[in-house]
Every structure is written in structure tokens, then in C-alpha cells.
Amino acid sequence: MKFTKMEGAGNDYVYVDLFHGTLPEPPETLSGKVADRHFGIGGDGLVLITPSEKADARMRMFNPDGSESEMCGNAVRCVAKYVHDHGICRRIPLTVETGKGVLTLYPEVSDGLVTRVRVDMGEAILIPAKVPTLLRAPSGREEDPVAGVPFDAAGRDFAVTCVSMGNPHAVFFVEKPTDELVLGLGPQIETDPRFPRRTNVEFVRVISRAELEMRVWERGTGETLACGTGACAAAVAAILNGKTDRAVTIHLLGGDLFIEWNESDGHVMMTGPAREVFSGEWLG
């Protein structure tokens, strides 16, 4: 199986081009093998780039535990780069089908190669049942966002904001995103029964009206250097809670992402890097 290793802000995946190749086994079992950083290729999971009846290409993303994720913001930027740079589609903008739906992407090209990509991530989903979460706003109205709602975890009191960007996120604003929080509470919150489909967990420090610092515990993966949908969710949560303006730079362990939440149409725009690291052949 031929593969390409790519990363966006340090969020790295093994990419397989199914326009021109096939898989040796089901992706649910293959993902853990190739993602293993000691006995495999190494990465945060497996991404399949396939033909689509709705868009220029389709992205499917599998976590190391074999679960399929609906969406990954860093991965979809890398898919756009691969599709452009490998001649599958050089149209700008181009479209990619994901578990959230069809997204529109705007590659930035230098010397014929994509360096950064701006992605229209669509609207943030804030209705609790659609995130999904069993938590509810203090008003009790089922359509109101869960924004700054009290949340107890491991005997500690927090406030949580729940956002879906096609996949669920629980955002916590803290003084500092520490190992104790990310590595200790992250996995507990991921599997908390108040999140029926588990959740990604973001711990966020507010630096200013235009800057956030974030660490993330990703559902089915663990801590990663970056999470594009998580950065979008963190920006939306910060704006909902009056902590930032509608355009913010988010500093992650693997680099920076720029997020805008458009007031006019409710769409979230994400801009960040995409890089091809190496290609090879998986022998199994």
C-alpha cells in the first residue's frame, strides 16, 4: 500500500490515495497499525482520500482505536494540498466531502505547491442534542447553547461550553492548560456519559481579545499537537462567552491557526498550514 505522511500544525496522519490505490485490510484495523509510532509509520490516525459523487474528493478519517471521526480540520487542509499538488483537482476553490458534509477550501499556492489552506468549516452546531450532549443551558430550553454551564469532573468544578463542528467538543477555559488537566481529566471527560458519542476536550487560556492558547485531548486518539475542529470550537466558545472578538489566533503545541466566526452567515473560517512530510510503501 502506497501512503503519504502529511501534517498540519503538527497534527499528523497517514494518507492513502484511493483514486489510484487500494487498502490491504479494513481501515478500522489498519488505522491502529499504521499510526503506531514504534511499529508502524506513526501518526494521529489514518486518512483516506477517495473519489466523491458530491465533491472533488472525499475524506474519511480513522482514529488509532479504529473509530471513524466525522471531521478533522487539520486533515482536510492536507487533503486539499494532496488533491491539488498531485493533480487530482487543481481548481481553486475546491470541495471535499466529509462526515459533516461538503466543505469549500481555498488553497494558497507558492511555486505550484500548496502551503496554506483557508477552509469554510460551515456553521457551528450549538443545539445540545445535535452536539450531542445531555447537558442543557440554565434556561432549560432545548435549543439554547450550553455555554459556560457548570460541570463537575473528578471532584472539581468547571464551566463547559459544548460545540459541534461536525464532531463533538467540550471547551473549558482555564488559567493554564496543564498536563494534569489534559492528560488527567481529558480521558475522563471524553468518556463522560453526559456526552453520548464521547467528546473531544479542549483546555483553553485566554491571552487577549485576539489570542488563545489551547491544548486538546482528542476522542479516540489522546493528546495531539493540534486539532482544527477543536480550534474552531474554542473560538466559537470564546466568542459565545464574551472572551474574544470574532477573529482569533489560536496557539497550539504544533503551531498557530487563525479562526474567524462570521456574524453574517454563521460560518467558521479556519486558515492554517499543510505540509507533505514523506511518502512510502506499507508492507504490513
Side-chain angles (χ1 to χ4, degrees):
M1 177 188 76
K2 293 183 178 180
F3 70 88
T4 300
K5 179 75 176 291
M6 304 184 76
E7 61 90 9
N11 200 189
D12 60 335
Y13 290 92
V14 176
Y15 292 77
V16 179
D17 175 358
L18 295 184
F19 280 87
H20 304 106
T22 59
L23 296 179
E25 60 183 283
E28 293 83 357
T29 56
L30 181 63
S31 58
K33 295 177 182 178
V34 299
D36 190 292
R37 296 188 185 275
H38 300 287
F39 299 102
I41 300 164
D44 291 328
L46 171 69
V47 174
L48 308 181
I49 304 172
T50 77
S52 169
E53 296 181 357
K54 303 177 180 179
D56 297 315
R58 180 187 180 196
M59 178 185 83
R60 295 184 68 192
M61 194 273 272
F62 293 85
N63 298 309
D65 69 356
S67 60
E68 184 171 3
S69 180
E70 304 90 339
M71 178 56 194
C72 176
N74 292 315
V76 78
R77 293 199 314 275
C78 289
V79 168
K81 175 177 173 60
Y82 186 95
V83 166
H84 177 277
D85 292 359
H86 291 261
I88 293 171
C89 178
R90 289 203 166 97
R91 180 168 40 242
I92 299 178
L94 58 81
T95 55
V96 176
E97 179 186 354
T98 72
K100 185 185 180 183
V102 175
L103 301 184
T104 302
L105 301 96
Y106 303 83
E108 298 178 12
V109 181
S110 177
D111 295 326
L113 299 176
V114 172
T115 56
R116 296 202 314 167
V117 181
R118 187 168 188 255
V119 188
D120 184 343
M121 298 286 285
E123 295 183 57
I125 299 166
L126 300 173
I127 296 173
K130 293 184 177 181
V131 171
T133 178
L134 301 182
L135 296 166
R136 292 294 181 267
S139 67
R141 291 191 294 267
E142 293 189 357
E143 68 274 14
D144 286 354
V146 173
V149 170
F151 186 94
D152 61 284
R156 297 175 60 177
D157 295 326
F158 296 91
V160 66
T161 299
C162 298
V163 180
S164 172
M165 293 303 306
N167 54 353
H169 295 269
V171 181
F172 297 84
F173 292 99
V174 296
E175 289 187 6
K176 184 178 181 180
T178 62
D179 285 351
E180 179 189 4
L181 292 172
V182 180
L183 306 180
L185 290 183
Q188 296 181 44
I189 296 170
E190 175 195 351
T191 57
D192 190 287
R194 287 168 285 188
F195 303 105
R197 293 172 60 189
R198 298 187 293 165
T199 189
N200 300 282
V201 188
E202 285 77 33
F203 295 96
V204 182
R205 179 173 75 94
V206 178
I207 299 173
S208 70
R209 298 289 302 178
E211 285 185 278
L212 300 173
E213 175 194 1
M214 184 186 103
R215 286 176 63 182
V216 57
W217 179 271
E218 286 204 48
R219 177 184 60 167
T221 303
E223 184 177 21
T224 58
L225 296 184
C227 177
T229 55
C232 293
V236 168
I239 295 162
L240 280 176
N241 288 282
K243 297 179 182 296
T244 66
D245 299 327
R246 300 190 76 92
V248 295
T249 297
I250 301 189
H251 305 293
L252 304 113
L253 295 179
D256 294 347
L257 296 175
F258 181 66
I259 312 295
E260 304 163 272
W261 190 16
N262 295 334
E263 193 168 10
S264 58
D265 60 8
H267 283 221
V268 181
M269 307 298 293
M270 173 186 63
T271 303
R275 187 172 74 97
E276 187 171 315
V277 184
F278 63 87
S279 296
E281 185 173 352
W282 170 256
L283 302 178

